[in-house]
Amino acid sequence: MTGANPFGEYEEDPAPRDPPRIPVPRTSIEDTGLPLPTPPLILEHRVLKALLGAWALAACSPEETAAVEDHLGGCGACADEALRLRGAVGLLHAPETLDLDPALRTRVLQACLTRRPPRIPVPSWATPYDAETARLDALLQDIGDVEWHAPVRLRWFDGKEPTSRRTTVAGVIAHLLTVDGLVAVTLGLDDPLGTPADTSTPSARTEAFWGAAPFPPTRSVRGPWREQSHNLVRTVAFAGGGSGRLPVPYGDFELPLRDSMLDRAFETWVHAGDIADAVDYPYEPPSPRHLHAMIDLGARMLPPALTARRQAGLAAPAETPHLVPAGAPGRSLRLEIEGLGGGEWFIPLDAPGAPASQDREVAHVALDGVEFCQLAAGHVSPEEAAAGQSGDREAIRDVLFAAASLSRM
């Protein structure tokens, strides 16, 4: 309040003025320039039901999506239909790789064989070769023209140290073609080298094939290799299981056909892995049953390999080379292979003809199945093999080196 003083002048009341009891009007959103909120979309039931397919495919507008999802909370029939449609959309967009499963061919064949057995079955000792050549052929189908010239280094152990030979993907297939030709000649099929020559060893045959070509091998080598592998499987199937005793010469040694086909399956898998590494492609080990057969072949080849190393002065002499009676058991090493395809083998240490004996076990070696195969292929050195060891260290060293010496180009 203000009042007049005796001089007729007005002065302000020293007390502060009270705030107004009625608030000022609020500003409307229309006056702020901000976008107005969108009112909820109201649709009829038949329209919402028609939108369920588009909603499942995430093809509705935000307003339609909100309307449909609000409706699903109160309509059980539409909620069930929406759940069914969303599941169907999940089947249309399966999150799977486009690469074919390497085991697809095996599963298809197994399904076919359960319906109608083959009139001429493939011998069991030839099925690993059939399976591994099919897997490699599927890998070759997926690679492009340029990748056929990708560098590949073939590795093996020459008895004293690791060695290698540089080639290409096409060169590896040419190598498999020429060495498989040893089996082809035994079965009376054409030799991929053409005219016979002094090329009885795998390495000599490979070098002769590489040297005879005017140009480095290209993807055209896949056709002859594929046809030859099919002819080998077809021929042994018609020949029957008795043909497995036919000797296949490898130059300085020979194997019966049943073991030779297993040896070719093993080398096909190993070199398929080399090719897969060169083109950055995943590749799995063989099936456990086939892997076990390959490991068994390697274990059976260890005693003569150990004897050959002793004769060459590369291994310690046997404990009593002349005092073990014929047929009497000698010292043994227990080879334990772990993982799928594994098992136990007793390796005679004194002589190949002396039977192994568990009672005369002097050493124990434990290896993973794939690791043992990589050692036998010369891809892992004996010193670097991840092996559990106990017992006679000298015997263990000799057996590991003998396993590596099984490898060749």
Side-chain angles (χ1 to χ4, degrees), residues 100-356:
L100 291 178
D101 183 358
L104 178 61
R105 180 180 184 273
T106 301
R107 293 201 303 269
V108 172
L109 288 177
Q110 288 176 346
C112 295
L113 294 178
T114 56
R115 296 170 180 258
R116 187 182 66 181
R119 290 187 304 166
I120 305 175
V122 177
S124 59
W125 42 265
T127 53
Y129 176 80
D130 187 25
E132 293 309 310
T133 52
R135 290 208 304 149
L136 175 55
D137 191 47
L139 168 62
L140 299 178
Q141 177 69 29
D142 285 349
I143 67 177
D145 292 338
V146 176
E147 291 175 313
W148 279 86
H149 302 284
V152 179
R153 187 167 292 279
L154 300 179
R155 296 172 291 162
W156 69 97
F157 189 79
D158 67 356
K160 297 180 180 180
E161 59 184 3
T163 185
S164 63
R165 179 72 154 79
R166 183 181 175 87
T167 183
T168 62
V169 170
V172 175
I173 301 303
H175 167 61
L176 291 174
L177 170 69
T178 55
V179 183
D180 286 355
L182 291 170
V183 182
V185 172
T186 299
L187 293 173
L189 302 175
D190 293 336
D191 190 341
L193 288 180
T195 57
D198 294 332
T199 52
S200 56
T201 64
S203 59
R205 290 177 61 85
T206 301
E207 295 291 353
F209 188 91
W210 286 345
F215 302 101
T218 64
R219 70 174 305 155
S220 61
V221 75
R222 180 192 173 203
W225 169 80
R226 190 171 187 266
E227 181 180 3
Q228 178 178 259
S229 64
H230 288 177
N231 288 337
L232 289 178
V233 174
R234 186 182 303 111
T235 303
V236 297
F238 277 98
S243 62
R245 293 187 294 271
L246 291 173
V248 179
Y250 282 76
D252 49 356
F253 69 97
E254 67 179 27
L255 291 173
L257 179 61
R258 60 186 308 120
D259 286 344
S260 183
M261 292 293 287
L262 193 54
D263 169 78
R264 303 313 309 140
F266 173 77
E267 188 167 358
T268 301
W269 163 48
V270 170
H271 289 323
D274 294 335
I275 293 173
D277 291 341
V279 299
D280 195 21
Y281 198 94
Y283 208 76
E284 297 296 326
S287 67
R289 180 164 54 92
H290 295 167
L291 185 62
H292 177 83
M294 296 175 187
I295 295 171
D296 179 70
L297 175 63
R300 288 187 283 114
M301 295 177 68
L302 278 177
L306 187 58
T307 299
R309 287 183 58 81
R310 287 199 181 112
Q311 293 173 350
L314 299 175
E319 185 182 58
T320 53
H322 303 293
L323 299 180
V324 177
R331 296 179 308 143
S332 303
L333 177 141
R334 178 158 58 101
L335 176 63
E336 179 183 359
I337 302 300
E338 301 172 338
L340 298 177
E344 281 190 352
W345 289 262
F346 285 89
I347 312 300
L349 298 174
D350 291 330

